Amino acid sequence: GVDRARGPSCRGHRARQEVLRQSPPVRVRGKFFTEFFAGCGIVSKQARALGFSTREWELLRGGDSDLTLPSVRRPIRQMAYRGDILASFLAPPCGSFSLINSSVKRSESDPWGSLPQKTDKARAAITLGNKCMRAAIQIIGWLEKCGVPWVLEHPLSSRAWYLPCFKQLL
């Protein structure tokens, strides 16, 4: 989108220019900011602009970035437990959790979408959305245990906020 005050952005994230001008570069040897389900990586880009090292994982890049695979998440757990991660931003796909997506059946009482779905496409969306959200929840658990600050990006109207783990955190 385009924010007239700040210029073009990806998914609405852009550090304010006055903050970038006023802040001295930050260097933390051996530690880094992580962005999970990074999309185009704009949050990491802004963290780098502030002087932080970053690491990104994006499902669409496949392979070593596919967070739905336990083998990809395992090293992240180790990084968190070693204290390598300064902070994290998680933005799992929200399409199948969105109220706008009328082809997928999720509800406040059934946020995992176990209701029968009408189409194969809806079933695939539920499956992928659940895999991504379960991966995000597992990563959040490690971050919480290690005292690492994190942010989860999802719309306020997302059915994800009705998942038991998030209701408990809230």
Side-chain angles (χ1 to χ4, degrees):
V2 174
D3 180 330
R4 292 174 194 249
R6 298 184 206 151
S9 66
C10 174
R11 298 197 327 189
H13 305 290
R14 186 174 171 98
R16 294 174 42 205
Q17 292 303 315
E18 59 270 16
V19 171
L20 294 176
R21 284 192 294 273
Q22 294 172 1
S23 300
V26 177
R27 301 282 189 266
V28 183
R29 195 179 300 272
K31 296 182 183 267
F32 45 85
F33 172 85
T34 56
E35 186 176 5
F36 302 105
F37 304 100
C40 62
I42 195 71
V43 176
S44 290
K45 180 180 177 185
Q46 296 301 322
R48 285 190 299 275
L50 292 169
F52 292 97
S53 294
T54 65
R55 300 224 180 137
E56 302 171 27
W57 289 261
E58 169 50 46
L59 181 68
L60 297 177
R61 295 177 195 161
D64 292 343
S65 281
D66 184 349
L67 291 166
T68 65
L69 301 174
S71 60
V72 172
R73 293 191 308 271
R74 212 168 292 121
I76 295 165
R77 179 180 185 266
Q78 294 167 347
M79 291 174 212
Y81 281 50
R82 279 194 312 258
D84 296 342
I85 301 174
L86 291 168
S88 293
F89 183 85
L90 300 95
C94 55
S96 75
F97 285 92
S98 173
L99 291 176
I100 296 171
N101 189 345
S102 60
S103 66
V104 173
K105 291 183 187 177
R106 291 187 192 266
S107 67
E108 292 177 20
S109 61
D110 182 31
W112 287 114
S114 59
L115 299 167
Q117 303 298 319
K118 289 183 180 179
T119 66
D120 289 341
K121 186 176 179 181
R123 281 188 288 282
I126 290 279
T127 300
L128 180 61
N130 288 351
K131 282 182 177 183
C132 292
M133 191 56 71
R134 283 189 173 97
I137 290 167
Q138 186 175 47
I139 293 167
I140 288 168
W142 299 330
L143 298 171
E144 276 287 300
K145 189 171 185 176
C146 297
V148 176
W150 56 272
V151 172
L152 177 74
E153 177 196 45
H154 252 243
L156 183 59
S157 62
S158 172
R159 295 293 188 209
W161 301 121
Y162 293 98
L163 295 171
C165 58
F166 292 130
K167 286 173 78 171
Q168 183 180 2
L169 278 170
L170 294 171

